[in-house]
Amino acid sequence: MLLLCVAALAPLLLRGGCYFSEEKFPEESRVQPPAVVIAIIARNQAHSLPFYLGALERLHYPRERLSIWAATDHNVDNTTAILKEWLTVMQQFYHHVEWRPMEQPISYVGELGPKHWPNSRYEYVMKLKQGALNYARKRWADYILYLDTDNILTNPDTLNLLIAENKSVVAPMLDSPGAYSNFWCGITPQGYYRRTAEYFPTRHRQRVGCFAVPMVHSSVLLDLRKEGMRKLNFYPPHKDYSWPYDDIIVFAFSCRAAEIQMYVCNKHRYGYLNVPPKPHHSLEDDRLNFVHVYLESLIDGPPMSPSRYVHMSPKQRDLMGFDEIFLINLRRRPDRLQRMLLSLNELEIDVKVVDAVDGNALNSSDIKLLGVDLLPGFYDPFSGRTLTKGEVGCFLSHYYIWKEMVDMQMDKALIFEDDVRFAANFKRRVLRLMEEVLQAELDWDIIYLGRKQVKRGQEEPVDGVRNLVVADYSYWTLSYAVSLQGAQKLVNAEPLSKMLPVDEFLPIMYDKHPDEDYKSHFLNRNLQAFSSHPLLVEPCHYAGEPHWVSDTETSTLWDDDSVQTHWTGSHKTLKGAAGPQLEMLSSTYRDEL
């Protein structure tokens, strides 16, 4: 009988998977991510806020576990309106939003300009940071992230990565166009910055990790769960404080007094920060500095992108006084085109996109039909090869622009290739340069904005024009201005029937090429060639670097589709030296930029 009962119950036990009803409940749910407060303290940052807020939107972190504490004050731009517009849309997604705007006054007592920091400003910022910390503690937040509004976290995993470090105070190392970052490796007994041997290896990621440092600032995550954090404050300064009255130094002293170690992490590329302006700088100066950071992010990545919920007025683009500005781009390089159009739009420069001649798509018969023939005796000075199809396409692309200038009688034009990196304040510097050229009544044909100087030594400066030199033998045609007179000279030389690379042709035409045989094929070598100094553009990447691509070097021979070519053996595309046999620059030389 017992066996029969067990047999009858067995299907029921198997069907249910367990005997006791308590065992039918599913496994425990996952622990929620830590609660984080993001502190936003904004003043006169209308130019960076759309990108800053866009980066917050893209953080890979549950918004319901994030609270926003936002304060803005003393503005002369529309910072308040931008924050309000964004918070109106986004507040529904966050756990809680604390909004503290202050419309008046628009300046601090003793302030000489919007980028000057009197003690009254330092004190008010310390009070704001303390207010955000009090808010986070009151709401029992696990962390608070202080993030300056010109610090753009382009890596959406930054918050998770910092939390995983399990440090009381930790900062993501942010990149800038120069040596500046958001940490110090040394501090003097008086609380000032001290240079150390560790800074540059850390800044350039020659050593990678999470390092103990005496100072982090601008972007900092505090772990409020740690016991020692109860002693940490921004305001008032510690009773023993005697260092400079500066919010970041006061905070560093507070950490030291509480025996809390600061850390900076450079394991990943987390984002970018603007280089601080000088006290006498204007908001426009600060905006232009930020534009340069934005342009760098488009090359080095991850790129900045603005918020979807903030209105941005269209840029007012112009031609900078040129009749036309040409951008040469291969159709099969849409990524380069997109980056250049974004960059030029941010620089407020209008361009005409020119479809480059794709030499690699031409067969030998096509090239002959175009009237192209090789300059007798030409060989690449480094690899020993003849012309490549990529070089044919590059030459034709430039030649057709010169021809259009002549046909349309354009007084002057500016030409860009699609792989350039802009110097800081590019537009302002070009405008000033061309204005001084006009005032000096300089007789010019081409002005290089980007090139590779080949020979050693100083080039002759031009009287009456700052930052302009007489060009010597140069490589590359990254960007240059060309006058109608110059375009006419280049076209009249009939170069298609005796072609060599365009960056070898130009020095022949201004009579600075070292090869006398090449020059003998072009009789009128009277091109008036100059160059900006320092240069205003450089290549995005150099040969051998990640992401470097050359459609001129990596190709096939112009008259033999079966012979592949590449950059190996050619110093032409390398940064710095081009080889000792032509008295090139030393291997330690860095381009003027």
Side-chain angles (χ1 to χ4, degrees):
M1 184 66 180
L2 180 60
L3 291 173
L4 290 174
C5 290
V6 169
L9 287 171
L12 297 175
L13 292 171
L14 291 172
R15 191 181 306 123
C18 57
Y19 181 76
F20 298 104
S21 60
E22 298 93 314
E23 298 177 13
K24 293 182 181 180
F25 289 102
E27 294 183 8
E28 289 289 327
S29 60
R30 292 184 298 175
V31 175
Q32 293 188 88
V36 180
V37 170
I38 298 177
I40 303 174
I41 300 174
R43 186 197 179 198
N44 292 325
Q45 290 296 145
H47 50 276
S48 64
L49 265 176
F51 299 93
Y52 173 89
L53 299 171
L56 292 186
E57 292 167 20
R58 286 180 285 276
L59 284 177
H60 292 164
Y61 205 85
R63 288 177 181 163
E64 66 273 11
R65 302 296 294 167
L66 295 174
S67 294
I68 302 293
W69 188 94
T72 186
D73 61 276
H74 297 82
N75 294 303
V76 295
D77 66 5
N78 62 335
T79 291
T80 302
I82 292 173
L83 273 173
K84 185 176 180 181
E85 179 184 16
W86 186 77
L87 288 170
T88 299
V89 175
M90 295 299 295
Q91 64 182 344
Q92 61 183 311
F93 302 111
Y94 292 111
H95 178 69
H96 188 261
V97 170
E98 181 85 2
W99 172 227
R100 296 189 177 189
M102 186 173 76
E103 298 292 343
Q104 294 292 333
I106 61 173
S107 63
Y108 289 92
V109 175
E111 188 176 69
L112 302 179
K115 294 302 171 182
H116 176 232
W117 281 77
N119 283 350
S120 56
R121 181 175 181 182
Y122 282 120
E123 182 169 314
Y124 192 73
V125 169
M126 284 186 262
K127 289 178 178 179
L128 289 176
K129 289 183 176 181
Q130 185 64 41
L133 183 59
N134 294 341
Y135 167 84
R137 285 169 172 164
K138 183 177 179 180
R139 300 193 69 84
W140 294 98
D142 299 304
Y143 293 88
I144 182 169
L145 175 65
Y146 289 93
L147 191 63
D148 285 2
T149 46
D150 59 358
N151 290 207
I152 316 299
L153 299 182
T154 54
N155 185 336
D157 294 316
T158 296
L159 184 52
N160 287 313
L161 292 168
L162 294 179
I163 290 173
E165 293 295 338
N166 193 29
K167 306 294 186 186
S168 296
V169 179
V170 62
M173 190 192 79
L174 301 180
D175 293 295
S176 76
Y180 180 75
S181 191
N182 58 318
F183 71 98
W184 299 358
C185 281
I187 195 167
T188 69
Q190 296 77 34
Y192 291 101
Y193 175 79
R194 180 171 63 86
R195 289 185 177 183
T196 65
E198 294 82 14
Y199 182 80
F200 282 104
T202 307
R203 172 66 183 84
H204 298 304
R205 294 185 173 87
Q206 293 162 350
R207 66 169 191 157
V208 176
C210 203
F211 304 105
V213 292
M215 165 72 77
V216 291
H217 59 86
S218 302
S219 295
V220 183
L221 182 70
L222 309 185
D223 186 346
L224 302 181
R225 304 170 305 172
K226 301 292 179 69
E227 185 175 343
M229 299 299 283
R230 290 183 297 175
K231 305 175 185 177
L232 196 64
N233 287 293
F234 289 90
Y235 189 85
H238 190 275
K239 61 183 178 62
D240 297 326
Y241 187 78
S242 61
W243 288 359
Y245 204 63
D246 182 308
D247 60 301
I248 67 171
I249 302 176
V250 167
F251 177 64
F253 188 93
S254 181
C255 287
R256 177 179 291 194
E259 299 183 333
I260 295 171
Q261 180 60 60
M262 293 176 158
Y263 290 86
V264 64
C265 290
N266 67 352
K267 297 178 182 178
H268 306 269
R269 293 188 72 94
Y270 302 98
Y272 298 85
L273 79 168
N274 202 10
V275 178
K278 304 295 183 184
H280 64 276
H281 280 175
S282 65
L283 291 185
E284 177 64 8
D285 294 325
D286 196 39
R287 184 190 73 82
L288 291 176
N289 284 344
F290 183 79
V291 166
H292 186 51
V293 178
Y294 168 73
L295 301 187
E296 291 292 288
S297 80
L298 295 179
I299 297 172
D300 297 328
M304 298 183 198
S305 297
S307 168
R308 296 176 295 170
Y309 306 110
V310 172
H311 172 73
M312 297 180 70
S313 300
K315 298 290 183 179
Q316 301 299 311
R317 299 188 300 271
D318 60 57
L319 295 172
M320 300 194 294
F322 293 96
D323 292 271
E324 191 63 87
I325 300 178
F326 297 95
L327 171 60
I328 301 173
N329 169 254
L330 279 171
R331 283 195 175 185
R332 55 184 170 87
R333 300 290 183 202
D335 53 329
R336 290 184 174 186
L337 177 61
Q338 181 185 25
R339 183 193 66 79
M340 283 295 290
L341 290 179
L342 286 172
S343 299
L344 291 164
N345 181 66
E346 198 65 29
L347 289 167
E348 300 182 323
I349 297 174
D350 202 8
V351 294
K352 175 181 179 180
V353 178
V354 175
D355 286 335
V357 177
D358 192 345
N360 292 336
L362 300 174
N363 59 41
S364 301
S365 299
D366 295 331
I367 292 174
K368 292 291 185 182
L369 287 173
L370 290 170
V372 172
D373 204 351
L374 181 68
L375 180 76
F378 172 75
Y379 292 95
D380 181 85
F382 304 103
S383 65
R385 60 163 173 76
T386 60
L387 205 63
T388 71
K389 285 185 176 179
E391 288 170 332
V392 171
C394 181
F395 196 113
L396 290 172
S397 301
H398 287 267
Y399 177 82
Y400 291 146
I401 291 175
W402 306 334
K403 191 84 166 51
E404 181 177 341
M405 285 187 65
V406 172
D407 293 343
M408 301 299 293
Q409 289 293 288
M410 296 181 187
D411 183 54
K412 59 181 180 292
L414 182 61
I415 299 172
F416 289 112
E417 293 181 343
D418 64 2
D419 56 347
V420 304
R421 184 189 295 262
F422 295 94
N425 296 314
F426 172 82
K427 184 176 182 180
R428 179 186 284 182
R429 292 162 75 178
V430 171
L431 289 170
R432 187 185 70 184
L433 175 65
M434 298 309 295
E435 177 63 25
E436 291 186 7
V437 166
L438 180 64
Q439 290 177 357
E441 298 182 350
L442 183 67
D443 181 21
W444 66 277
D445 293 324
I446 68 166
I447 299 175
Y448 287 104
L449 302 186
R451 60 174 178 143
K452 179 172 182 173
Q453 184 182 348
V454 176
K455 293 183 179 180
R456 292 180 185 271
Q458 294 273 343
E459 293 175 310
E460 179 187 350
V462 176
D463 291 337
V465 183
R466 290 172 293 176
N467 307 116
L468 191 69
V469 296
V470 178
D472 209 326
Y473 183 29
S474 305
Y475 287 149
W476 304 342
T477 49
L478 300 169
S479 177
Y480 59 95
V482 57
S483 68
L484 174 59
Q485 175 181 268
Q488 188 73 68
K489 290 178 182 179
L490 295 171
V491 171
N492 288 348
E494 300 181 349
L496 299 191
S497 61
K498 40 195 173 184
M499 186 180 287
L500 72 170
V502 66
D503 60 351
E504 301 276 11
F505 171 64
L506 292 179
I508 288 174
M509 291 299 293
Y510 57 83
D511 207 26
K512 293 295 178 68
H513 199 287
D515 194 300
E516 295 297 329
D517 289 337
Y518 296 170
K519 291 196 293 186
S520 68
H521 293 274
F522 301 92
L523 300 180
N524 296 318
R525 301 187 301 273
N526 58 352
L527 197 71
Q528 302 299 310
F530 303 89
S531 175
S532 63
H533 181 79
L535 296 169
L536 300 181
V537 302
E538 65 172 317
C540 291
H541 306 286
Y542 292 87
E545 293 180 350
H547 311 298
W548 177 81
V549 175
S550 172
D551 292 298
T552 55
E553 299 284 337
T554 307
S555 184
T556 61
L557 292 184
W558 76 289
D559 59 351
D560 191 342
D561 298 337
S562 66
V563 180
Q564 298 286 325
T565 63
H566 48 82
W567 72 272
T568 305
S570 174
H571 294 262
K572 198 176 198 179
T573 54
L574 293 174
K575 187 173 186 177
Q581 68 271 35
L582 291 178
E583 296 184 339
M584 304 303 180
L585 305 174
S586 67
S587 60
T588 57
Y589 182 88
R590 300 185 68 85
D591 292 76
E592 285 103 330
L593 284 174

